Amino acid sequence: MSVVTEISPDGKKLTISIKGRFDFAKHHEFRKSYEEQNLSKVVVDLKEATYLDSSALGMLLLLRDHAGGDDSDIRVVNSSSDVRKILAISNFDKLFDIS
């Protein structure tokens, strides 16, 4: 599986880990990972992501909307320098906590 989810023991944090290419091929799997969750805090771990395209940016925006928009608590972690550049150019650093 290339999208792995983990819920914290207290049930308050959802971690979504992406493995390989984060592109439209992962749309269904990514959406399914959070769709039925009660989200108070979400971490998207890109440690094993090798590629990110515009459809992945769209998927992150859909996640943000689902989690409450401006009131959402979403962190994008472990992104490579290339992925961080893409996120910064797209101004996603203003929408998400990126590290």
Side-chain angles (χ1 to χ4, degrees), residues 22-68:
F22 190 15
D23 57 17
F24 189 73
K26 289 197 175 47
H27 181 270
H28 178 71
E29 197 175 359
F30 184 76
R31 189 169 165 188
K32 188 176 178 183
S33 72
Y34 66 81
E35 207 168 42
E36 297 176 16
Q37 304 296 331
N38 182 11
L39 307 171
S40 60
K41 182 174 183 171
V42 180
V43 174
V44 179
D45 188 344
L46 299 178
K47 182 179 181 179
E48 296 184 51
T50 57
Y51 174 80
L52 178 136
D53 69 3
S54 61
S55 64
L57 297 176
M59 288 184 264
L60 289 171
L61 290 175
L62 290 172
L63 169 62
R64 184 176 185 269
D65 287 346
H66 181 79

Side-chain angles (χ1 to χ4, degrees), residues 52-97:
L52 178 136
D53 69 3
S54 61
S55 64
L57 297 176
M59 288 184 264
L60 289 171
L61 290 175
L62 290 172
L63 169 62
R64 184 176 185 269
D65 287 346
H66 181 79
D70 289 340
D71 296 328
S72 62
D73 183 4
I74 301 175
R75 295 183 59 221
V76 179
V77 300
N78 298 322
S79 51
S80 68
S81 61
D82 289 339
V83 169
R84 272 195 298 275
K85 285 179 193 174
I86 292 168
L87 294 169
I89 289 168
S90 304
N91 287 322
F92 273 52
D93 54 340
K94 293 175 179 40
L95 301 174
F96 299 93
D97 180 6

